[in-house]
């Protein structure tokens, strides 16, 4: 790609776009073509973060006292701004992250829907009243905002994940310091710009870019931070959770190793399609992506054959090309990690029956491309069957009974999403009770979740205290007081 002038984007602190104190920047590059620099962004320091936290702290009381309908109006206006720019922002998101254009545009639209959803849901989010024996006393709970909230997010859904944290934080009266992933800062700028244009008061949302090693600790340990809502890897989440003080709430949405169980009675063609969609869309980089298929032996050969056929038909390429179904991996670290796991799988004795090659010729030469990989003869104790790979790699494990399938499905440290393909409603219901996962599907992909339904994992996939999304997504951002009024 011909490089035109590369724009430098700034932090947003106390209502103004500003440089970082050290004036240093980093580049966000296109994973489909590493010669294409998407933009330059501020390499912030701890000092920048502290300024942002102080601005959020100063703005808190006034925002907490702002009428909920005024807050909702700002969210709705920001949603309209995003909707009016879906084409531009979708293209930018594809350039920055690599995902296919239809997915990128869909994500921008979903972000607008999320802002609108919380603009409505937040207005009726309230406490409870409690009957009591004193006729001259009312007892009720009231919900109040926490204060300053840190929002720390990954690159795989780089505008919709921030929105599902920022919108409920703002509508309930909190102020925010937002740090996006350094792989996808541009689309995060667009979200903040929309809120700015919508008239959000200064200091209510603040935005800093930069490396976690420089800004991460201040975002978690500064005494004014009342809550940290984080989505990312389990390692980073555990680190943040440990560092947070007793008075800082944490909400950690972390990794997964999501199984799809295929029973004998399944429509095998449908099951294979679910595996392809769940395992390879977003180039396998969805936290709820299908990374294990646990299939009954009697249908395993047919399933694997169909899985290979359907995978072969997935066009790999630049996400801006309308034919592309599988884009590049998001960054070089991802590429190395995925190729490394493919080697580990081979060394462990699993059989690589399809793909797994690093693509480097012609159109792929400047991007982070890998063919989707399918392993069979996978034993449940292998690393490729246990560890999160976060790439387009499916490990097929063959079993002879539902009991073995559920035992293997649960025998990992994660519990984010899981699905079963069966026509047996009784078995499906049993699966919903026995599977250790926060999102449970029947005859659907492990990926995908509704804006209006709770989302989160079990075990090492989430802190179990608060869920994101839906109405319960508001709970994390409020505290309860119980009030007794006698008269
Ligand atoms: P990551 O953990 O490397 O980074 C996520 C964010 O946290 C980035 O902004 C990063 O700069 C910041 N960060 C990293 N270490 C930090 C620290 N010690 N203190 C403060 N901030 C820190 O994750 P990633 O590579 O961006 O994303 C991929 C991971 O995210 C995968 O493990 C995936 O499963 C997970 N994920 C989970 C969900 C979910 O809802 N459960 C959704 C999407 C992605």
């Amino acid at each position: 790609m011909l490089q035109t002038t590369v724009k430098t984007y700034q932090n947003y602190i106390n209502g103004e776009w500003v440089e970082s104190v050290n004036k240093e920047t980093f580049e966000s590059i296109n994973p489909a073509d590493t010669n294409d620099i998407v933009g330059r962004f501020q390499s912030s320091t701890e000092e920048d973060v502290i300024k942002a936290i102080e601005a959020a702290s100063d703005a808190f009381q006034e925002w907490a006292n702002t009428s909920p309908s005024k807050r909702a109006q700002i969210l709705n206006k920001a949603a309209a701004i995003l909707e009016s720019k879906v084409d531009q922002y979708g293209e930018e998101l594809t350039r920055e992250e690599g995902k296919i254009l239809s997915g990128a545009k869909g994500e921008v639209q979903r972000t607008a829907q999320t802002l609108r959803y919380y603009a409505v849901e937040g207005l009726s989010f309230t406490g409870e009243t409690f009957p009591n024996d004193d006729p001259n006393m009312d007892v009720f709970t009231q919900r109040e905002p926490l204060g300053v909230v840190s929002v720390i997010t990954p690159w795989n859904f780089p505008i919709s994940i921030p929105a599902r944290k920022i919108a409920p934080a703002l509508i309930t009266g909190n102020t925010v310091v937002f740090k996006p992933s350094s792989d996808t800062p541009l689309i995060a700028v667009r979200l903040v710009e929309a809120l700015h244009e919508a008239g959000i008061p200064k200091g209510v949302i603040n935005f800093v870019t930069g490396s976690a090693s420089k800004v991460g600790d201040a975002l978690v340990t500064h005494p004014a931070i009342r809550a940290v809502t984080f989505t990312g890897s389990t390692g980073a989440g555990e680190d943040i959770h440990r560092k947070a003080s007793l008075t800082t709430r944490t909400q950690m949405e972390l990794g997964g190793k999501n199984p799809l169980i295929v029973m004998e009675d399944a429509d095998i063609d449908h099951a294979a399609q679910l595996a392809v969609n769940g395992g390879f869309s977003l180039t396998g980089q969805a936290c709820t992506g299908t990374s294990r298929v646990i299939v009954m032996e009697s249908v395993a050969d047919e399933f694997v054959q169909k899985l290979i056929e359907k995978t072969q038909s997935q066009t790999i390429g630049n996400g801006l090309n309308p034919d592309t179904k599988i884009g590049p991996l998001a960054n070089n670290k991802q590429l190395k990690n995925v190729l490394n796991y493919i080697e580990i799988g081979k060394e462990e004795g699993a059989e690589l029956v399809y793909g797994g090659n690093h693509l480097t010729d012609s159109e792929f030469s400047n991007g982070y491309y890998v063919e989707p990989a399918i392993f069979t003869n996978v034993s449940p104790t292998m690393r490729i069957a246990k560890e999160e790979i976060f790439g387009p790699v499916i490990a097929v494990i063959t079993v002879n009974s539902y009991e073995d399938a559920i035992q293997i499905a649960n025998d990992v440290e994660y519990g984010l999403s899981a699905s079963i393909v069966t026509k047996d409603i009784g078995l499906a219901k049993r699966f919903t009770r026995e599977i250790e996962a926060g999102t449970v599907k029947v005859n659907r992909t492990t990926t995908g979740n509704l804006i209006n339904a709770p989302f989160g994992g079990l075990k090492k996939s989430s802190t179990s205290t608060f869920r994101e999304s839906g109405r319960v997504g508001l709970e994390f951002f409020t505290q309860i007081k119980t009030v007794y009024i006698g008269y």
Side-chain angles (χ1 to χ4, degrees):
M1 166 172 293
L2 259 184
Q3 194 66 55
T4 48
T5 322
V6 177
K7 191 171 168 189
T8 299
Y9 296 87
Q10 297 183 314
N11 287 336
Y12 182 73
I13 299 178
N14 207 23
E16 295 195 356
W17 295 97
V18 290
E19 285 182 315
S20 64
V21 292
N22 65 8
K23 303 197 188 317
E24 286 174 15
T25 59
F26 67 92
E27 290 174 347
S28 170
I29 58 163
N30 181 345
D33 175 2
T34 55
N35 295 320
D36 175 26
I37 300 164
V38 177
R40 293 200 174 86
F41 298 84
Q42 304 302 310
S43 280
S44 305
T45 63
E46 192 172 288
E47 208 180 323
D48 297 303
V49 177
I50 291 171
K51 282 185 181 175
I53 295 171
E54 286 172 355
S57 207
D58 291 347
F60 172 63
Q61 263 325 320
E62 201 171 327
W63 182 244
N65 293 334
T66 298
S67 71
S69 59
K70 171 75 186 161
R71 293 185 215 139
Q73 202 180 42
I74 291 169
L75 292 184
N76 281 325
K77 214 165 160 187
I81 292 165
L82 292 175
E83 278 163 347
S84 72
K85 296 187 175 169
V86 163
D87 289 343
Q88 179 197 333
Y89 292 176
E91 278 190 25
E92 287 176 352
L93 172 45
T94 294
R95 252 181 89 205
E96 191 173 45
E97 200 268 352
K99 68 177 60 181
I100 62 173
L101 188 56
S102 58
K105 287 183 186 176
E107 185 177 340
V108 177
Q109 263 151 354
R110 183 185 171 96
T111 301
Q113 285 162 4
T114 300
L115 299 183
R116 290 191 195 286
Y117 172 78
Y118 281 114
V120 172
E121 205 61 43
L123 296 186
S124 61
F125 190 60
T126 177
E128 293 172 278
T129 55
F130 300 91
N132 70 87
D133 289 348
D134 181 345
N136 297 318
M137 184 170 71
D138 286 346
V139 184
F140 57 92
T141 51
Q142 65 191 32
R143 288 189 176 272
E144 296 181 355
L146 304 175
V148 182
V149 176
S150 283
V151 172
I152 306 174
T153 52
W155 43 261
N156 68 334
F157 289 100
I159 184 163
S160 64
I161 288 179
R164 78 177 183 222
K165 297 171 182 291
I166 291 171
L170 294 179
I171 194 69
T172 47
N174 300 277
T175 54
V176 167
V177 179
F178 167 31
K179 191 206 93 63
S181 164
S182 297
D183 286 310
T184 49
L186 178 56
I187 197 69
V189 165
R190 299 307 187 205
L191 176 59
V192 178
E193 279 176 350
L195 289 162
H196 172 74
E197 279 174 43
I200 199 151
K202 66 177 191 169
V204 172
I205 179 135
N206 303 274
F207 172 75
V208 284
T209 51
S211 102
S213 61
K214 291 200 185 123
V215 302
D217 278 3
L219 284 163
V220 176
T221 60
H222 189 285
I225 298 294
R226 291 274 74 82
V228 182
T229 174
F230 168 88
T231 297
S233 58
T234 293
E238 282 184 321
D239 184 48
I240 292 170
H241 190 55
R242 256 195 312 271
K243 282 181 184 154
S245 80
L246 196 61
T247 52
T248 305
R249 247 180 215 193
T250 59
Q251 177 180 52
M252 304 283 127
E253 298 300 339
L254 310 171
K257 189 70 189 170
N258 313 295
L260 176 78
I261 296 178
V262 181
M263 297 305 298
E264 295 94 340
D265 67 346
D267 173 340
I268 299 301
D269 194 71
H270 184 226
Q273 193 61 53
L274 294 178
V276 169
N277 295 349
F280 300 144
S281 62
L282 214 79
T283 322
Q285 301 170 118
C287 55
T288 50
T290 305
S291 60
R292 297 179 289 158
V293 177
I294 305 171
V295 56
M296 295 302 134
E297 192 164 13
S298 55
V299 293
D301 287 348
E302 185 190 352
F303 172 81
V304 170
Q305 192 193 332
K306 284 189 184 283
L307 179 61
I308 292 173
E309 280 165 20
K310 287 180 190 295
T311 305
Q312 273 165 341
S313 71
Q314 302 279 299
T315 309
I316 303 170
N318 188 323
L320 291 175
N321 176 344
D323 296 331
T324 298
K325 288 279 187 282
I326 299 180
L329 290 159
N331 57 45
N332 197 25
K333 190 173 151 216
Q334 276 293 106
L335 176 70
K336 285 188 176 148
N337 186 50
V338 169
L339 293 173
N340 185 40
Y341 268 108
I342 290 169
E343 284 313 306
I344 289 171
K346 289 189 220 164
E347 282 162 22
E348 285 180 311
E351 193 179 341
L352 182 63
V353 292
Y354 182 80
N357 293 305
H358 181 192
L359 300 172
T360 52
D361 288 346
S362 54
E363 62 166 311
F364 302 121
S365 58
N366 292 321
Y368 303 128
Y369 289 100
V370 66
E371 274 177 328
I374 301 169
F375 279 103
T376 59
N377 285 337
V378 176
S379 100
T381 54
M382 288 178 182
R383 287 182 63 191
I384 59 164
K386 291 248 176 210
E387 297 172 17
E388 182 180 54
I389 299 174
F390 216 57
V393 181
I394 288 181
V396 180
I397 301 168
T398 306
V399 292
N400 281 307
S401 67
Y402 165 80
E403 285 72 19
D404 285 351
I406 194 81
Q407 191 271 326
I408 290 167
N410 285 337
D411 191 22
V412 291
E413 60 182 8
Y414 298 105
L416 192 54
S417 179
S419 183
I420 191 166
V421 194
T422 181
K423 298 188 181 84
D424 181 342
I425 298 290
L427 187 74
K429 282 287 287 176
R430 183 176 163 195
F431 171 74
T432 67
R433 289 192 302 275
E434 293 179 347
I435 189 71
E436 295 167 359
T439 302
V440 183
K441 307 259 190 102
V442 176
N443 299 321
R444 290 292 181 270
T445 53
T446 56
T447 48
N449 58 292
L450 292 175
I451 287 171
N452 58 347
F455 176 70
L458 305 181
K459 304 198 281 189
K460 281 200 171 181
S461 290
S462 266
T463 36
S464 56
T465 39
F466 294 95
R467 285 283 178 258
E468 276 195 347
S469 282
R471 190 172 173 80
V472 297
L474 292 156
E475 287 176 5
F476 177 74
F477 300 99
T478 59
Q479 58 198 357
I480 284 174
K481 282 181 183 161
T482 310
V483 182
Y484 296 71
I485 298 184
Y487 42 85

